[in-house]
Amino acid sequence: MQSQSSLFESSQESLPIADGKLDYYPTWLDPKTADESFSELKKTVRWQQSMLNMYGKSIAIPRLNAWYGDAGRDYGYSGHRFQALPWLPLLTTLKYQIEAETGFEFNSVLVNCYRDGNDSVAWHSDDEPELKKNPVIASLSLGAERIFQLRHRYQKQSKVTKIALAHGSLLIMSGELQHYWQHQLPKVATKIGERINLTYRYIHEP
C-alpha cells in the first residue's frame, strides 16, 4: 500500500485573480491513484442525465451527473432538485484528504462526467442559497484535460481566465469568487476522452 505522501502531492499555485481566491494543485493525485479513482468512479457512481428548466423548457444537460452527501443535504439549481445519495467509500476518502489539505469542511459533492468534447457546462456561479455567502468549492479533475474558464461578472472588459485542469489536479475556489465571477467548461471541437469532475461543497441547513 502506498503512503499518503506518495498519493497526494501538496505543490500549490495561488493563481492571480481579483475579487476572489484560486488555489491550484496540478498533481494533487499521482497518476496511478488518479487512474484508479477514475475507473472506480466510472463504475460505481449512480450516473443520470438530469433535466433542467431553462427559458421555460425542460432540457437535458450535456453531461452525466450525480449528487452525494450527508443525509438531508439536498441541492437545487435551474429548477432541478438533487436528493443526496449516500456517500461512496472513495468519495468519502477523497473528501477527508481534501479537507486535510485545505482546512475546509465539506458535506456533499456534485459528480459530473463529460463523455466527450460535446459535453459541457455553461457560464454560471455556484451561488445557490444553500451554499450561503462566499462558499468554498473544491474541484478534483480526473481523466481528459479540459479548459476551465472564468469571467468577471461586472468588469466586462476583463479578459477570460483559462486554466487547463489536468488529470489528478485540484482547484480550490474561495473568498468572494462566486459573487464576482462566473465559470464554464466549454465544448471542444477536437476528439477528446472522458473526464470526471468532483466538486465538493458545504450545504447549509435551511
Side-chain angles (χ1 to χ4, degrees):
M1 182 175 179
Q2 291 175 285
S3 66
Q4 178 176 316
S5 61
S6 67
L7 295 178
F8 302 94
E9 301 291 343
S10 59
S11 58
Q12 174 187 355
E13 303 172 12
S14 292
L15 305 179
I17 195 166
D19 303 324
K21 195 171 189 296
L22 277 175
D23 293 305
Y24 183 54
Y25 303 76
T27 55
W28 191 70
L29 288 179
D30 70 68
K32 182 175 183 294
T33 305
D35 288 346
E36 292 173 348
S37 298
F38 179 92
S39 296
E40 182 173 341
L41 292 172
K42 183 68 187 304
K43 291 184 294 185
T44 59
V45 168
R46 200 185 304 176
W47 300 109
Q48 62 175 315
Q49 188 170 20
S50 297
M51 303 295 293
L52 302 183
N53 295 321
M54 301 179 68
Y55 313 112
K57 297 180 180 179
S58 184
I59 300 173
I61 65 172
R63 58 193 177 277
L64 303 179
N65 61 287
W67 177 255
Y68 289 85
D70 294 353
R73 304 295 177 161
D74 300 341
Y75 185 55
Y77 66 88
S78 297
H80 185 86
R81 195 75 186 168
F82 292 93
Q83 189 170 32
L85 297 168
W87 286 100
L88 297 174
L90 179 56
L91 293 177
T92 301
T93 297
L94 293 170
K95 180 181 90 77
Y96 288 153
Q97 296 293 346
I98 294 172
E99 289 175 335
E101 180 74 64
T102 65
F104 296 114
E105 182 182 356
F106 304 99
N107 61 12
S108 51
V109 61
L110 179 62
V111 189
N112 283 305
C113 179
Y114 300 87
R115 296 160 292 184
D116 55 32
N118 291 313
D119 278 0
S120 63
V121 62
W123 287 113
H124 70 285
S125 298
D126 295 322
D127 56 0
E128 289 76 22
E130 303 96 318
L131 298 173
K132 301 295 186 182
K133 185 178 180 181
N134 298 337
V136 177
I137 309 294
S139 174
L140 175 61
S141 296
L142 301 167
E145 182 176 283
R146 294 286 294 263
I147 302 299
F148 181 75
Q149 299 183 349
L150 301 102
R151 68 181 182 187
H152 202 283
R153 297 173 70 173
Y154 308 109
Q155 298 177 6
K156 303 302 183 183
Q157 73 281 6
S158 298
K159 292 183 178 179
V160 172
T161 297
K162 300 179 181 180
I163 307 170
L165 297 180
H167 181 43
S169 67
L170 177 66
L171 181 71
I172 306 296
M173 297 181 281
S174 60
E176 297 181 308
L177 191 135
Q178 301 301 329
H179 176 73
Y180 286 102
W181 293 81
Q182 293 180 318
H183 52 273
Q184 73 163 352
L185 193 81
K187 295 181 185 297
V188 178
T190 56
K191 186 176 181 180
I192 196 168
E194 287 183 300
R195 172 181 182 259
I196 292 176
N197 179 232
L198 315 178
T199 49
Y200 285 90
R201 304 139 191 263
Y202 190 90
I203 299 296
H204 294 265
E205 293 183 359

